[in-house]
Amino acid sequence: MHYGESALQDILRLKPDVAILDIEMPKRTGLEVAEEIQSLNTKVIILTTFARQNYFETAVRIGVQGYLLKDSPTDRLTETINAVVKGATVYDPELVRHVLRTENNPLTEREIDVLQAIAEGKRTSAIAEAVFLSQGTVRNYISSILSKTGAQSRIEAVNIAKKHQWMNR
Amino acid sequence: MHYGESALQDILRLKPDVAILDIEMPKRTGLEVAEEIQSLNTKVIILTTFARQNYFETAVRIGVQGYLLKDSPTDRLTETINAVVKGATVYDPELVRHVLRTENNPLTEREIDVLQAIAEGKRTSAIAEAVFLSQGTVRNYISSILSKTGAQSRIEAVNIAKKHQWMNR
DNA sequence: AAATCAATATGACATTTGTCATAATGAATT
DNA sequence: AATTCATTATGACAAATGTCATATTGATTT
């Protein structure tokens, strides 16, 4: 395990063109390091296992030049390094898509669970069983889903949610 | 326009290997001619513009060796003639599919109209307006759709009908 | 520490749906 | 000619659904 602190010291000393940082490191996270060195000309690429939107968003806010997931194809890293050196900014497309999906998604986790059950054609009692909630709660959720989507009926809500890809996670 | 009667006379006289017949001809339809000559060794291919399932079904019942639509690709006719001479039987796949669809489709035209509106997420009042029916009638249709599909809810009915392709014509 | 939000629940009420009986008409089939 | 079937309708009743007010709990954010 590498220490964020030593990474920071190395970068400050060596002033590399590109620094590839993990996020979860002891002492200092990759994001903290990235923030510290933003005044340098060193480009930062975050390479991490964690697809947490929170991390991604702060990375973008700090202004890193790259953000990749460790499970993305290996040659993508080399491509990204080359692109970043040339001045480009590269964000993992999966992640961007995911953020866009959740960003505009007005539905909560539970509401999505319920909506998925609705899409299968289940009626309230069956939905309640499927998600282990009382029928009343399910009806409340549906009511909320309808008002959030602006739909007039369960089916319309499903149609709208599908169009916006709000129904997957 | 050719006469079915003269086609029949010609076939009886010439005893061809294959006879290609239209259906709608004056005096005698192609289907009548096909029926008359079934004792001969002449293979019959029906080539017609009319995609009426009624025609197709009687043709199959009579036992014709081929049934094609005039708007199918031209080389299909030559293929079919060759295949039929070799003893095969060739039915237009589109037509077969269509028949299978309507054959097992328990829904009436009107019910399909209603179900389509349901799939769009319309509620009863909106459906009634869309198909120019009273709300009561719409609810009766839905009730009937539910019992015919065995569904418990509108959405389930839509899902089932989509799976069986019962919602298009 | 306070405020916000998601998750969960209940009760009451209004509206929407689904079901059933019944009926008229016209087209198609036997 | 009689039967069947699709289309259309109404009325009455039961069940399901949607809405609203209200409340508790725990997590997250300010």
Side-chain angles (χ1 to χ4, degrees):
Chain A
M1 180 61 90
H2 295 256
Y3 284 75
E5 185 56 37
S6 66
L8 176 57
Q9 296 309 323
D10 290 349
I11 293 170
L12 291 174
R13 182 162 45 82
L14 301 169
K15 294 190 173 55
D17 291 338
V18 180
I20 298 171
L21 295 171
D22 195 355
I23 290 183
E24 301 207 350
M25 296 183 288
K27 274 302 206 187
R28 265 196 154 86
T29 72
L31 293 174
E32 284 166 357
V33 175
E35 193 154 25
E36 293 266 358
I37 62 172
Q38 71 185 345
S39 52
L40 272 60
N41 283 334
T42 297
K43 315 274 190 184
V44 173
I45 296 173
I46 300 288
L47 181 66
T48 181
T49 346
F50 304 97
R52 303 249 297 269
Q53 80 293 12
N54 197 14
Y55 285 165
F56 182 58
E57 279 167 30
T58 51
V60 171
R61 186 170 40 71
I62 290 169
V64 304
Q65 281 74 24
Y67 197 111
L68 292 184
L69 295 181
K70 278 190 177 158
D71 59 357
S72 55
T74 37
D75 46 344
R76 173 156 304 158
L77 179 58
T78 57
E79 284 171 24
T80 301
I81 295 171
N82 284 320
V84 163
V85 169
K86 284 179 192 149
T89 299
V90 179
Y91 299 142
D92 187 288
E94 284 297 321
L95 220 36
V96 173
R97 226 170 296 141
H98 179 258
V99 168
L100 281 179
R101 265 210 310 246
T102 55
E103 198 77 349
N104 309 313
N105 192 337
L107 305 176
T108 68
E109 293 275 329
R110 274 318 205 206
E111 287 167 353
I112 292 172
D113 293 343
V114 169
L115 192 53
Q116 255 154 2
I118 289 177
E120 290 169 30
K122 290 198 171 77
R123 45 176 53 200
T124 307
S125 58
I127 297 170
E129 279 178 35
V131 294
F132 304 105
L133 289 175
S134 77
Q135 295 199 21
T137 303
V138 169
R139 285 195 279 146
N140 286 340
Y141 278 140
I142 294 174
S143 186
S144 167
I145 290 167
L146 292 176
S147 94
K148 282 178 174 179
T149 57
Q152 298 268 61
S153 69
R154 292 170 172 221
I155 307 185
E156 200 187 346
V158 169
N159 289 159
I160 291 171
K162 273 185 179 162
K163 189 166 72 190
H164 292 295
Q165 294 187 276
W166 287 341
M167 282 180 61
N168 328 276
R169 223 148 323 162
Chain B
M1 178 64 87
H2 295 256
Y3 282 76
E5 185 56 35
S6 67
L8 177 58
Q9 296 310 324
D10 289 350
I11 293 169
L12 290 174
R13 181 161 47 81
L14 300 170
K15 294 187 172 56
D17 291 337
V18 181
I20 298 171
L21 296 171
D22 196 356
I23 290 184
E24 300 209 350
M25 295 183 288
K27 272 300 207 188
R28 264 192 154 88
T29 72
L31 293 175
E32 285 166 355
V33 174
E35 193 153 24
E36 292 267 357
I37 63 172
Q38 69 185 349
S39 52
L40 271 61
N41 282 334
T42 297
K43 315 275 190 183
V44 173
I45 297 173
I46 300 287
L47 181 66
T48 181
T49 345
F50 303 97
R52 303 249 298 268
Q53 81 292 13
N54 198 12
Y55 285 165
F56 182 58
E57 279 167 31
T58 51
V60 171
R61 187 169 41 69
I62 290 169
V64 304
Q65 281 74 25
Y67 195 111
L68 292 184
L69 293 181
K70 279 189 176 158
D71 58 357
S72 56
T74 36
D75 44 347
R76 172 156 306 158
L77 179 57
T78 57
E79 286 171 23
T80 301
I81 294 171
N82 285 320
V84 163
V85 169
K86 284 180 192 147
T89 299
V90 179
Y91 299 141
D92 187 288
E94 284 297 322
L95 219 37
V96 174
R97 226 171 294 141
H98 179 258
V99 167
L100 281 179
R101 265 212 307 247
T102 55
E103 198 77 350
N104 308 312
N105 192 337
L107 306 175
T108 69
E109 293 276 328
R110 274 314 202 214
E111 287 166 352
I112 292 172
D113 292 344
V114 169
L115 192 52
Q116 255 154 3
I118 289 177
E120 289 168 32
K122 291 198 170 76
R123 44 177 52 200
T124 307
S125 58
I127 298 170
E129 278 177 36
V131 293
F132 305 105
L133 290 174
S134 77
Q135 295 199 20
T137 303
V138 170
R139 284 195 279 145
N140 286 339
Y141 278 140
I142 295 174
S143 186
S144 166
I145 290 168
L146 291 176
S147 93
K148 283 178 174 179
T149 57
Q152 298 267 63
S153 69
R154 295 170 170 219
I155 306 186
E156 200 188 346
V158 169
N159 289 160
I160 291 170
K162 274 186 178 162
K163 189 166 72 190
H164 293 295
Q165 293 189 275
W166 288 340
M167 282 179 62
N168 327 275
R169 226 150 323 164

